[in-house]
Amino acid sequence: MSTNSETRLTPPFLMLITDRRLAGGADALVHAVNEAVEGGVTAVQLREKDLRPRELLPLAQRLRVVTRGRAGLIVNGSLEVALAAEADGVHLPEDGPMVERPPRPFLIGRSVHSLAAATVAWAECSDYLVAGPIFESASHPNAAPAGLKLIESVAGAVAIPVLAVGGITAERVSDVLRAGVAGVAVISAILSAQAPRKAAQRLGDALREEWSALEREGRRSTSS
């Protein structure tokens, strides 16, 4: 997502956001993440907001083991945990304060729900944005879906990668990529699947197929 990152990510991005309860517990989550990475997930965002930092760190360290050299690891919310776990970055909420970038290749991402928030995050030198929820989402049942117009406006206004989140399925990949995003972030599309590896492969195949089509049309490049 950032050229100075050791994660060596190139678009289109496929980010898995964790939910250990949905996965069936911490052990099941680690297993699912390992399968998802084998299936083509390029980044894992550890998002377990009910865990305090001292509880989150052991899980982050376990996920670092299964992602190291294979996928980026981003810790939601806690810079302290991200650094202690040797993660590749930290992910911040829309209204959270900006953090000081450590003296090593490190990604700082932010969730946004509006164009105004996206422009502020870009001005803060965020490396990437996750915008949504785009469609109805089981993980955020009370949040009104923003639709494709949100990512169209955000992707057109900032010069950093934007990922779509919320109700993303393989069937919807084409629509969100054509709206301007550089990838997608998912939870239930992988963690609710009986075979996380196959679910990740299906999403990854859909992303690469549509990205290649956009490249042939001159609307995308691998440096986007």
Side-chain angles (χ1 to χ4, degrees):
M1 293 176 183
S2 176
T3 56
N4 68 350
S5 172
E6 292 177 345
T7 57
R8 304 185 304 278
L9 299 179
T10 56
F13 309 116
L14 175 55
M15 175 182 284
L16 171 62
I17 302 174
T18 72
D19 183 336
R20 73 188 190 286
R21 292 175 177 171
L22 182 61
D27 291 345
L29 174 64
V30 174
H31 177 73
V33 167
N34 183 58
E35 284 203 4
V37 171
E38 288 179 354
V41 161
T42 55
V44 176
Q45 182 192 144
L46 175 57
R47 182 183 183 275
E48 305 291 337
K49 291 194 171 185
D50 63 311
L51 295 182
R52 290 171 292 184
R54 64 182 178 84
E55 299 168 324
L56 187 64
L57 179 56
L59 182 55
Q61 291 170 326
R62 293 180 69 185
L63 293 185
R64 177 74 291 181
V65 170
V66 300
T67 58
R68 191 183 299 277
R70 305 163 70 204
L73 176 63
I74 312 294
V75 175
N76 186 297
S78 177
L79 177 62
E80 174 189 2
V81 171
L83 294 176
E86 300 181 355
D88 300 295
V90 68
H91 188 87
L92 306 174
E94 183 176 79
D95 56 355
M98 190 59 170
V99 298
E100 183 175 350
R101 192 180 297 272
R104 68 171 175 88
F106 194 79
L107 295 171
I108 298 177
R110 191 177 288 276
S111 293
V112 297
H113 312 295
S114 69
L115 175 58
T119 55
V120 169
W122 181 32
E124 290 179 329
C125 296
S126 297
D127 294 297
Y128 72 91
L129 305 177
V130 176
I134 305 306
F135 306 107
E136 290 185 0
S137 170
S139 61
H140 293 82
N142 298 321
L148 296 174
K149 288 185 178 180
L150 174 63
I151 48 178
E152 287 173 348
S153 62
V154 169
V158 302
I160 53 177
V162 178
L163 281 67
V165 70
I168 305 298
T169 62
E171 292 76 17
R172 288 170 166 167
V173 161
S174 177
D175 289 339
V176 294
L177 284 188
R178 288 183 176 273
V181 300
V184 299
V186 302
I187 303 175
S188 58
I190 290 177
L191 294 183
S192 291
Q194 290 186 346
R197 179 176 180 173
K198 289 183 178 179
Q201 286 177 330
R202 188 162 180 256
L203 282 161
D205 288 346
L207 281 165
R208 288 186 292 273
E209 181 179 346
E210 189 59 35
W211 192 267
S212 294
L214 290 169
E215 286 185 319
R216 291 193 296 271
E217 296 170 18
R219 297 174 58 183
R220 285 288 189 277
S221 70
T222 55
S223 61
S224 297

